[in-house]
Amino acid sequence: MGLPKPCSILDSVCFDRPDRRASSPRDIAPVPDEQWGETVAAVLTVEDPAAITLEGVRAYAAGQLARYKLPRRLKLVPAVPRNTSGKLDKVSIRSLADGED
């Protein structure tokens, strides 16, 4: 079942950083975890993939979130998947975050 993680709070803490554009497509997705059932993964687009790391996201958010809420995976993608109505495609995002193609 996993631990509760309010995604909107995680999204704002992890991605509303001074070095990130607030309009950049991104999402937080739950992924399977052996210990907790589910854990947090971050999926986002970046102009320079070398500019952002999982460690950097975790370090930035560590002062504002409990440790178990910090993303344990980071997936950089050229474009965040959207459904036919233009909204973020949560199923595809979760598959990306979980490492499935």
Side-chain angles (χ1 to χ4, degrees), residues 4-90:
K5 298 162 195 76
C7 287
S8 61
I9 294 171
L10 293 174
D11 182 78
S12 64
V13 169
C14 291
F15 300 130
D16 290 347
R17 304 167 22 156
D19 62 339
R20 295 278 304 137
R21 292 177 297 138
S23 61
S24 297
R26 76 281 179 123
D27 199 24
I28 297 288
V31 292
D33 181 78
E34 289 183 21
Q35 181 179 3
W36 300 107
E38 288 184 335
T39 191
V40 180
V43 176
L44 69 151
T45 59
V46 292
E47 292 175 11
D48 179 12
I52 190 162
T53 64
L54 176 59
E55 294 78 21
V57 170
R58 289 176 59 88
Y60 180 79
Q64 302 173 60
L65 294 173
R67 201 170 105 210
Y68 75 89
K69 293 181 181 179
L70 297 174
R72 293 180 187 249
R73 296 184 193 174
L74 175 65
K75 181 76 172 188
L76 304 177
V77 295
V80 175
R82 296 189 180 270
N83 62 24
T84 55
S85 53
K87 295 180 180 181
L88 295 177
D89 184 346
K90 298 288 190 178

